[in-house]
Amino acid sequence: MSKQQLKKTMSKTDVIFLAVGAMLGWGWVVLSGDWIINAGFLGSIIAFVIGGLLICLIGLTYAELSSAMPETGGGLVFVNRAYGRKLGFVAAWSVLAGYVTVITFEAVALPTVIDYVVPVNHVGHLWTLNEWPVYTTWVLIGSGGALLLTLLNYIGAKPAAIFQSVFTILMIATAILLLFGASINGNTANLQPFFTDGTAGVITVLVMVPFLFVGFDVVPQVAEEIDAPAKTISRILMISIVCAVLFYLLIVYGVSAALPQAELENSSLATADAMAVLFGSQVFGTILVIGGVAGIITSWNAFIIGASRILYAMADRKMIPVWFMYIHPKYGTPTNAILFLGALAFFAPLLGRPALVWIVNAGGVGMIVGYVLVALAFLRLRKMEPDLERPYKIKYWRTIGFGAVVMSFLFLSFYLPGMPAALVWPYEWIMLIGWTIIGLVLYAITNRKQEASSPERSIGNDKHA
């Protein structure tokens, strides 16, 4: 199928809600207590400022490259053009790891939320994983959500985009209500301690940041489906990043002002409990969780859209089986790729709630690898193709490019053994290694003939794609 069958159905408004909804998601509800417990109020603020700086630097490289090459695939297109086929595959597969972890994360998060709003007496014990029992009814809630989101994306990009806009507005309105409560009824004494566990605490929160901000790069993945000039698309990308940074900073303040350290340690959903305390009613906690459900839907939906387009672009370049590039003749969506992602989300709840943290950390590694390769491609293309038309051309490109590379490597080092936030053995390492092996096998099987292609042919295919 021709790539031209991906239709321009998304407006500028659709795109900004797509990116913002993707970056906010559900993490601000379920993980806020962990941030403040691990790093303290100021420690968490510092972590998000540093992490936000990294994402802004990376975002600027994406913004320029997206305006120059508005093609489906995003980082795959950029790295492939700068470094060739193999590194292009590595960049795409790494970012795809981050996308897949968000998709599976939301399938695990959904039953956690439902339990808060409507406590369920779960039945059908399957097994206990990391001291957490997994029940059939708990799994069915997450898997049912996976089926619904898969169906929504199957029938078209525009319905999914409208759905995204409505739920993003609902989520932002809920967070604004939390901030209002904190400004009126919050207690600044609860902001103490400002720091917990010093630098190690800050690093613990920092390693979550790439996962929490992943989403702005969904925009380049769907560039060919956006009905707007390339320069406008790049501006929207940067606006969405700034909005997300401010959102997370305000959530840290709202939760910190509402709950003292002792209450945070006993809370399973700190943001919801903070809302209930600030307004003196559990009803408001439930309202916030409903806003959190909207966040689950927006990020889940956005990453199905983005990940399916990455799979499509990789298949179009014969990096993975061509089965993934099938476009539905009626709906104009890469339906096989969507079904594959839906299957991963469907089975994710079988891992139980402990998978939430494992997925966050393992997915963060993939995203950072993808980011550093895009930043390197940005620098290389500035030298290789200085005359390439760049509608969104940034100033101080060397400083921004090298800054993005250095900070990406710094973040990557946090996951290594011996660091305060090293990946947990065996669960997180198994996820990371397993994903790498799957990619290598798919690439080897699909691309034996293509690996022998000349550089000229590879570049030609990239431009054609």
Side-chain angles (χ1 to χ4, degrees), residues 99-365:
Y99 283 24
V100 167
T101 56
V102 175
I103 292 168
T104 52
F105 174 94
E106 305 302 5
V108 175
L110 183 60
T112 305
V113 181
I114 299 301
D115 279 347
Y116 188 95
V117 179
V118 184
V120 178
N121 184 22
H122 291 293
V123 297
H125 180 263
L126 297 174
W127 46 71
T128 298
L129 189 59
N130 202 32
E131 302 182 355
W132 201 90
V134 180
Y135 292 95
T136 300
T137 50
W138 194 89
V139 170
L140 288 176
I141 294 171
S143 299
L147 287 175
L148 291 175
L149 265 293
T150 301
L151 176 62
L152 176 67
N153 279 275
Y154 189 96
I155 62 175
K158 187 61 179 180
I162 294 172
F163 190 81
Q164 180 83 2
S165 299
V166 172
F167 276 76
T168 300
I169 291 170
L170 175 61
M171 175 178 53
I172 293 173
T174 306
I176 290 173
L177 185 61
L178 171 69
L179 179 62
F180 174 77
S183 64
I184 301 299
N185 299 320
N187 186 350
T188 55
N190 290 338
L191 302 180
Q192 298 281 355
F194 289 146
F195 294 95
T196 304
D197 202 19
T199 303
V202 174
I203 291 176
T204 300
V205 178
L206 265 176
V207 296
M208 299 184 189
V209 170
F211 176 87
L212 295 168
F213 281 95
V214 59
F216 70 87
D217 46 322
V218 169
V219 176
Q221 312 302 345
V222 297
E224 289 189 16
E225 299 168 79
I226 302 171
D227 187 15
K231 188 173 184 178
T232 300
I233 295 171
S234 297
R235 286 175 176 167
I236 290 173
L237 187 154
M238 293 308 303
I239 291 171
S240 67
I241 293 174
V242 173
C243 289
V245 172
L246 293 174
F247 181 93
Y248 280 116
L249 291 176
L250 294 175
I251 292 298
V252 170
Y253 170 74
V255 175
S256 298
L259 300 175
Q261 194 81 2
E263 292 185 29
L264 282 172
E265 292 174 354
N266 294 321
S267 175
S268 59
L269 291 176
T271 315
D273 290 339
M275 179 79 107
V277 167
L278 290 169
F279 289 95
S281 172
Q282 186 56 43
V283 172
F284 284 88
T286 302
I287 290 173
L288 186 132
V289 171
I290 293 172
V293 172
I296 289 178
I297 301 303
T298 59
S299 61
W300 199 344
N301 183 56
F303 287 109
I304 291 176
I305 293 172
S308 61
R309 273 57 175 184
I310 294 177
L311 288 167
Y312 170 80
M314 295 175 76
D316 185 62
R317 290 165 174 77
K318 308 300 185 293
M319 294 178 173
I320 58 176
V322 294
W323 180 83
F324 287 101
M325 68 176 290
Y326 173 76
I327 299 294
H328 195 283
K330 178 180 179 181
Y331 302 122
T333 54
T335 47
N336 285 353
I338 290 169
L339 290 173
F340 169 74
L341 297 166
L344 292 179
F346 183 87
F347 291 109
L350 293 171
L351 296 174
R353 187 172 177 180
L356 286 173
V357 176
W358 303 339
I359 289 170
V360 168
N361 292 336
V365 174

Side-chain angles (χ1 to χ4, degrees), residues 54-108:
L54 166 67
I55 301 302
C56 284
L57 292 175
I58 296 292
L60 285 168
T61 65
Y62 269 90
E64 178 173 298
L65 292 171
S66 297
S67 70
M69 292 167 276
E71 304 174 29
T72 298
L76 167 61
V77 177
F78 312 149
V79 179
N80 194 14
R81 182 157 182 158
Y83 289 105
R85 183 181 186 79
K86 290 183 179 179
L87 278 182
F89 172 83
V90 172
W93 194 252
S94 298
V95 170
L96 185 63
Y99 283 24
V100 167
T101 56
V102 175
I103 292 168
T104 52
F105 174 94
E106 305 302 5
V108 175

Side-chain angles (χ1 to χ4, degrees), residues 334-406:
T335 47
N336 285 353
I338 290 169
L339 290 173
F340 169 74
L341 297 166
L344 292 179
F346 183 87
F347 291 109
L350 293 171
L351 296 174
R353 187 172 177 180
L356 286 173
V357 176
W358 303 339
I359 289 170
V360 168
N361 292 336
V365 174
M367 289 307 308
I368 294 174
V369 170
Y371 290 162
V372 72
L373 286 174
V374 168
L376 289 169
F378 166 80
L379 291 169
R380 183 174 176 83
L381 287 173
R382 272 292 189 127
K383 293 182 178 180
M384 286 176 53
E385 301 185 50
D387 297 327
L388 176 67
E389 184 179 356
R390 295 171 170 87
Y392 188 89
K393 191 170 185 177
I394 61 176
K395 298 179 180 179
Y396 313 112
W397 62 271
R398 290 185 180 86
T399 301
I400 289 171
F402 283 111
V405 170
V406 170

